[in-house]
Amino acid sequence: MATLQERFAELVPQMRKDIAAIQKEFGDKKISDVTIKQAYGGMRGIKGMICDTSVVEPDKGLIIRGYPLLDIQDLWPEEIFYLMLTGEKPDKEALAALQLDLASRAYVPDYVWDVLEAMPVDSHPMAMLNTAILVMERESVFRAWYDKGMKKEEYWVPTLEDALAIMAKIPVIAAGIYRMSYDKGSMIDYLPTLDWGANYARMLGIPDPTGTFAKLMRLYLNFHSDHEGGNVSANTCHTVGSALSDPYYAVSAGLNGLAGPLHGLANQECLIWVLETMEKFGGAPSEAELREFAFYTLRSGQVVPGYGHAVLRVTDPRFTGFNAFGRKYMADDPVFQTVDRVFNVVPKVLEEYSAERVAAGKGAISNFWPNVDAGSGALLYHYGLTEMNYYTVLFSVSRVMGMLAQLVINRAIGTPITRPKSVSTEWIKKQCV
Ligand code: AMX
């Protein structure tokens, strides 16, 4: 089978042809209406952009290139990257070539470490990661080719080069940040004979005598890889990339969005919330105690982290997958047991609280079910990865795959600069007669 670069090059002409034909014949067909509520409400539900790497169905969750996530949970993350770009799972040969390619790029320039070391010790690991990606912008092949002059048809070629470089370097940087920020000792090198996910597990330096932490890392990197195009990080990356800012600019920008507590930072918030309940009740709380704590959280004006979603209306399959991992490998762990118990309690609490909100004239909560972040932290905690403000970095190492795959495809199909039309409240008022 062809390498990722060769296979993608074979697919590009047909992709362009298909999209040109659709636009020519059906370009004026309407696919969405927009209400005033949506315009004020974060554009929720408006179909206004294209993303071919994955879709999120409200009642099914993440589907990558036609495969429901749990059907492909055993694929390694680099296989998912190949799949997102080409729509095909790589065979053994193509996978080995991609792994070798990544290993050959997995070095990080010294100036990156110098910059990270110069940052204040209390810098958030996400600020460090995003700074590291941005400071490497000078390495961009896209920018170098663009400065020399390149045809639009070629844009995807250096974009894919940058994408592979970022993907190869990000676990090295992320593991370095972990070891640097939490005094874990010297850095651990990337091992070319190991796969990408196991390498990240190894470079973090978490003891893993049974190999199950590496297994968890592969699953974690698989599960967080993409969530279609409209979420904050993907959408930000896409918008910045649409200005032909190179992938280093675009990915760093996207990750800044992932650092928000309503998005990727929720995974750190979730475990903090779970541990708080355990501290308050002196061990794994009962369901009645959890119910009390959840209501206390809501009535103090805070969200219950890990629950609710902008698109999903069912339990996130990523939560289901992590839960199954927990039941298999750490069923007796009290933190995992608490997460499991929270799942029995919080949806019902949110449903009741939502009814209270509606009775008080506020909007309903749209989804009571757990999202990806509700359970992942407990699994990491079990293996001794207890530094919660690092968790969004793990999410980032994975999510760059989706952001990068989307960027490469957008450069291949020549997506123009993003520029939706905004309107003023004065204009809206004039429509309200
Ligand atoms: N706890 C308390 N209130 C919640 C809630 C929760 N878990 N989920 C939603 N609500 C509230 C919203 O804050 C909003 O209240 P407001 O009108 O007073 O501002 C109201 O319900 C309506 O919101 P919604 O339509 O249900 O959700 P949304 O699309 O606006 O927001 C999300 C989605 C994820 C931001 C929200 O559910 C939330 O804040 N959840 C907790 C944080 C979290 O888990 N984030 C991670 C999401 C996944 C990810 O990106 N990693």
Side-chain angles (χ1 to χ4, degrees), residues 250-270:
V251 166
S252 179
L255 293 181
N256 285 326
L258 197 71
L262 295 187
H263 193 15
L265 203 78
N267 61 4
Q268 106 174 27
E269 306 288 308
C270 279

PDB file of all heavy atoms in Angstrom, residues 250-270:
ATOM      1  N   ALA A 250      -1.839  28.062  13.039  1.00  0.00           N
ATOM      2  CA  ALA A 250      -3.235  27.608  13.118  1.00  0.00           C
ATOM      3  C   ALA A 250      -3.438  26.621  14.266  1.00  0.00           C
ATOM      4  O   ALA A 250      -4.423  26.719  15.008  1.00  0.00           O
ATOM      5  CB  ALA A 250      -3.641  26.965  11.782  1.00  0.00           C
ATOM      6  N   VAL A 251      -2.499  25.692  14.432  1.00  0.00           N
ATOM      7  CA  VAL A 251      -2.649  24.687  15.487  1.00  0.00           C
ATOM      8  C   VAL A 251      -2.493  25.334  16.863  1.00  0.00           C
ATOM      9  O   VAL A 251      -3.251  25.050  17.797  1.00  0.00           O
ATOM     10  CB  VAL A 251      -1.638  23.535  15.284  1.00  0.00           C
ATOM     11  CG1 VAL A 251      -1.530  22.661  16.524  1.00  0.00           C
ATOM     12  CG2 VAL A 251      -2.062  22.696  14.083  1.00  0.00           C
ATOM     13  N   SER A 252      -1.532  26.237  16.988  1.00  0.00           N
ATOM     14  CA  SER A 252      -1.355  26.907  18.278  1.00  0.00           C
ATOM     15  C   SER A 252      -2.635  27.659  18.645  1.00  0.00           C
ATOM     16  O   SER A 252      -3.102  27.598  19.795  1.00  0.00           O
ATOM     17  CB  SER A 252      -0.155  27.857  18.208  1.00  0.00           C
ATOM     18  OG  SER A 252      -0.001  28.517  19.423  1.00  0.00           O
ATOM     19  N   ALA A 253      -3.229  28.330  17.661  1.00  0.00           N
ATOM     20  CA  ALA A 253      -4.480  29.069  17.916  1.00  0.00           C
ATOM     21  C   ALA A 253      -5.587  28.102  18.343  1.00  0.00           C
ATOM     22  O   ALA A 253      -6.314  28.351  19.312  1.00  0.00           O
ATOM     23  CB  ALA A 253      -4.901  29.836  16.656  1.00  0.00           C
ATOM     24  N   GLY A 254      -5.708  26.994  17.627  1.00  0.00           N
ATOM     25  CA  GLY A 254      -6.754  26.011  17.954  1.00  0.00           C
ATOM     26  C   GLY A 254      -6.585  25.484  19.381  1.00  0.00           C
ATOM     27  O   GLY A 254      -7.548  25.353  20.135  1.00  0.00           O
ATOM     28  N   LEU A 255      -5.344  25.223  19.748  1.00  0.00           N
ATOM     29  CA  LEU A 255      -5.090  24.694  21.096  1.00  0.00           C
ATOM     30  C   LEU A 255      -5.382  25.733  22.175  1.00  0.00           C
ATOM     31  O   LEU A 255      -5.742  25.388  23.300  1.00  0.00           O
ATOM     32  CB  LEU A 255      -3.645  24.199  21.216  1.00  0.00           C
ATOM     33  CG  LEU A 255      -3.291  22.968  20.374  1.00  0.00           C
ATOM     34  CD1 LEU A 255      -1.836  22.567  20.591  1.00  0.00           C
ATOM     35  CD2 LEU A 255      -4.207  21.788  20.687  1.00  0.00           C
ATOM     36  N   ASN A 256      -5.230  27.002  21.845  1.00  0.00           N
ATOM     37  CA  ASN A 256      -5.607  28.041  22.822  1.00  0.00           C
ATOM     38  C   ASN A 256      -7.092  27.942  23.135  1.00  0.00           C
ATOM     39  O   ASN A 256      -7.517  28.205  24.262  1.00  0.00           O
ATOM     40  CB  ASN A 256      -5.262  29.442  22.301  1.00  0.00           C
ATOM     41  CG  ASN A 256      -3.770  29.712  22.364  1.00  0.00           C
ATOM     42  OD1 ASN A 256      -3.089  29.244  23.268  1.00  0.00           O
ATOM     43  ND2 ASN A 256      -3.246  30.437  21.393  1.00  0.00           N
ATOM     44  N   GLY A 257      -7.874  27.576  22.122  1.00  0.00           N
ATOM     45  CA  GLY A 257      -9.307  27.373  22.357  1.00  0.00           C
ATOM     46  C   GLY A 257      -9.569  26.119  23.184  1.00  0.00           C
ATOM     47  O   GLY A 257     -10.431  26.106  24.060  1.00  0.00           O
ATOM     48  N   LEU A 258      -8.774  25.087  22.937  1.00  0.00           N
ATOM     49  CA  LEU A 258      -8.949  23.846  23.698  1.00  0.00           C
ATOM     50  C   LEU A 258      -8.670  24.080  25.188  1.00  0.00           C
ATOM     51  O   LEU A 258      -9.160  23.346  26.055  1.00  0.00           O
ATOM     52  CB  LEU A 258      -8.013  22.759  23.149  1.00  0.00           C
ATOM     53  CG  LEU A 258      -8.362  21.332  23.545  1.00  0.00           C
ATOM     54  CD1 LEU A 258      -9.616  20.865  22.823  1.00  0.00           C
ATOM     55  CD2 LEU A 258      -7.219  20.369  23.220  1.00  0.00           C
ATOM     56  N   ALA A 259      -7.880  25.114  25.477  1.00  0.00           N
ATOM     57  CA  ALA A 259      -7.496  25.397  26.873  1.00  0.00           C
ATOM     58  C   ALA A 259      -8.635  25.989  27.705  1.00  0.00           C
ATOM     59  O   ALA A 259      -8.465  26.204  28.904  1.00  0.00           O
ATOM     60  CB  ALA A 259      -6.293  26.337  26.892  1.00  0.00           C
ATOM     61  N   GLY A 260      -9.785  26.240  27.085  1.00  0.00           N
ATOM     62  CA  GLY A 260     -10.906  26.836  27.832  1.00  0.00           C
ATOM     63  C   GLY A 260     -11.665  25.810  28.653  1.00  0.00           C
ATOM     64  O   GLY A 260     -11.826  24.666  28.223  1.00  0.00           O
ATOM     65  N   PRO A 261     -12.173  26.209  29.855  1.00  0.00           N
ATOM     66  CA  PRO A 261     -12.861  25.242  30.729  1.00  0.00           C
ATOM     67  C   PRO A 261     -14.144  24.665  30.159  1.00  0.00           C
ATOM     68  O   PRO A 261     -14.586  23.599  30.590  1.00  0.00           O
ATOM     69  CB  PRO A 261     -13.145  26.037  32.010  1.00  0.00           C
ATOM     70  CG  PRO A 261     -12.963  27.466  31.661  1.00  0.00           C
ATOM     71  CD  PRO A 261     -12.045  27.531  30.475  1.00  0.00           C
ATOM     72  N   LEU A 262     -14.768  25.335  29.182  1.00  0.00           N
ATOM     73  CA  LEU A 262     -15.968  24.747  28.581  1.00  0.00           C
ATOM     74  C   LEU A 262     -15.606  23.767  27.463  1.00  0.00           C
ATOM     75  O   LEU A 262     -16.457  23.104  26.894  1.00  0.00           O
ATOM     76  CB  LEU A 262     -16.898  25.834  28.037  1.00  0.00           C
ATOM     77  CG  LEU A 262     -17.503  26.780  29.082  1.00  0.00           C
ATOM     78  CD1 LEU A 262     -18.520  27.693  28.447  1.00  0.00           C
ATOM     79  CD2 LEU A 262     -18.134  26.013  30.248  1.00  0.00           C
ATOM     80  N   HIS A 263     -14.310  23.706  27.129  1.00  0.00           N
ATOM     81  CA  HIS A 263     -13.868  22.807  26.048  1.00  0.00           C
ATOM     82  C   HIS A 263     -12.880  21.812  26.665  1.00  0.00           C
ATOM     83  O   HIS A 263     -13.244  21.078  27.567  1.00  0.00           O
ATOM     84  CB  HIS A 263     -13.293  23.684  24.927  1.00  0.00           C
ATOM     85  CG  HIS A 263     -13.064  23.007  23.610  1.00  0.00           C
ATOM     86  ND1 HIS A 263     -13.598  21.790  23.279  1.00  0.00           N
ATOM     87  CD2 HIS A 263     -12.333  23.396  22.516  1.00  0.00           C
ATOM     88  CE1 HIS A 263     -13.212  21.460  22.047  1.00  0.00           C
ATOM     89  NE2 HIS A 263     -12.431  22.412  21.573  1.00  0.00           N
ATOM     90  N   GLY A 264     -11.636  21.805  26.236  1.00  0.00           N
ATOM     91  CA  GLY A 264     -10.709  20.751  26.663  1.00  0.00           C
ATOM     92  C   GLY A 264     -10.332  20.784  28.130  1.00  0.00           C
ATOM     93  O   GLY A 264      -9.989  19.758  28.720  1.00  0.00           O
ATOM     94  N   LEU A 265     -10.350  21.971  28.734  1.00  0.00           N
ATOM     95  CA  LEU A 265      -9.940  22.058  30.142  1.00  0.00           C
ATOM     96  C   LEU A 265     -10.919  21.339  31.060  1.00  0.00           C
ATOM     97  O   LEU A 265     -10.616  21.070  32.217  1.00  0.00           O
ATOM     98  CB  LEU A 265      -9.792  23.526  30.571  1.00  0.00           C
ATOM     99  CG  LEU A 265      -8.881  23.757  31.777  1.00  0.00           C
ATOM    100  CD1 LEU A 265      -7.425  23.697  31.358  1.00  0.00           C
ATOM    101  CD2 LEU A 265      -9.146  25.100  32.441  1.00  0.00           C
ATOM    102  N   ALA A 266     -12.104  21.012  30.521  1.00  0.00           N
ATOM    103  CA  ALA A 266     -13.111  20.336  31.353  1.00  0.00           C
ATOM    104  C   ALA A 266     -12.570  19.030  31.935  1.00  0.00           C
ATOM    105  O   ALA A 266     -13.000  18.609  33.003  1.00  0.00           O
ATOM    106  CB  ALA A 266     -14.376  20.078  30.549  1.00  0.00           C
ATOM    107  N   ASN A 267     -11.603  18.386  31.266  1.00  0.00           N
ATOM    108  CA  ASN A 267     -11.128  17.099  31.809  1.00  0.00           C
ATOM    109  C   ASN A 267     -10.367  17.284  33.119  1.00  0.00           C
ATOM    110  O   ASN A 267     -10.436  16.433  34.001  1.00  0.00           O
ATOM    111  CB  ASN A 267     -10.353  16.269  30.770  1.00  0.00           C
ATOM    112  CG  ASN A 267      -9.122  16.962  30.252  1.00  0.00           C
ATOM    113  OD1 ASN A 267      -8.765  18.047  30.690  1.00  0.00           O
ATOM    114  ND2 ASN A 267      -8.461  16.328  29.303  1.00  0.00           N
ATOM    115  N   GLN A 268      -9.668  18.415  33.254  1.00  0.00           N
ATOM    116  CA  GLN A 268      -9.009  18.683  34.551  1.00  0.00           C
ATOM    117  C   GLN A 268     -10.069  19.024  35.605  1.00  0.00           C
ATOM    118  O   GLN A 268     -10.014  18.562  36.739  1.00  0.00           O
ATOM    119  CB  GLN A 268      -7.930  19.775  34.393  1.00  0.00           C
ATOM    120  CG  GLN A 268      -8.250  21.133  34.937  1.00  0.00           C
ATOM    121  CD  GLN A 268      -7.075  22.125  34.861  1.00  0.00           C
ATOM    122  OE1 GLN A 268      -6.194  22.023  34.022  1.00  0.00           O
ATOM    123  NE2 GLN A 268      -7.062  23.092  35.736  1.00  0.00           N
ATOM    124  N   GLU A 269     -11.072  19.811  35.183  1.00  0.00           N
ATOM    125  CA  GLU A 269     -12.127  20.231  36.116  1.00  0.00           C
ATOM    126  C   GLU A 269     -12.902  19.017  36.645  1.00  0.00           C
ATOM    127  O   GLU A 269     -13.310  18.971  37.795  1.00  0.00           O
ATOM    128  CB  GLU A 269     -13.119  21.167  35.426  1.00  0.00           C
ATOM    129  CG  GLU A 269     -12.489  22.380  34.752  1.00  0.00           C
ATOM    130  CD  GLU A 269     -11.999  23.401  35.745  1.00  0.00           C
ATOM    131  OE1 GLU A 269     -12.785  23.779  36.605  1.00  0.00           O
ATOM    132  OE2 GLU A 269     -10.808  23.786  35.679  1.00  0.00           O
ATOM    133  N   CYS A 270     -13.098  18.028  35.769  1.00  0.00           N
ATOM    134  CA  CYS A 270     -13.900  16.853  36.148  1.00  0.00           C
ATOM    135  C   CYS A 270     -13.275  16.088  37.292  1.00  0.00           C
ATOM    136  O   CYS A 270     -13.942  15.732  38.253  1.00  0.00           O
ATOM    137  CB  CYS A 270     -13.978  15.877  34.973  1.00  0.00           C
ATOM    138  SG  CYS A 270     -15.187  16.366  33.830  1.00  0.00           S
TER     139      CYS A 270
END
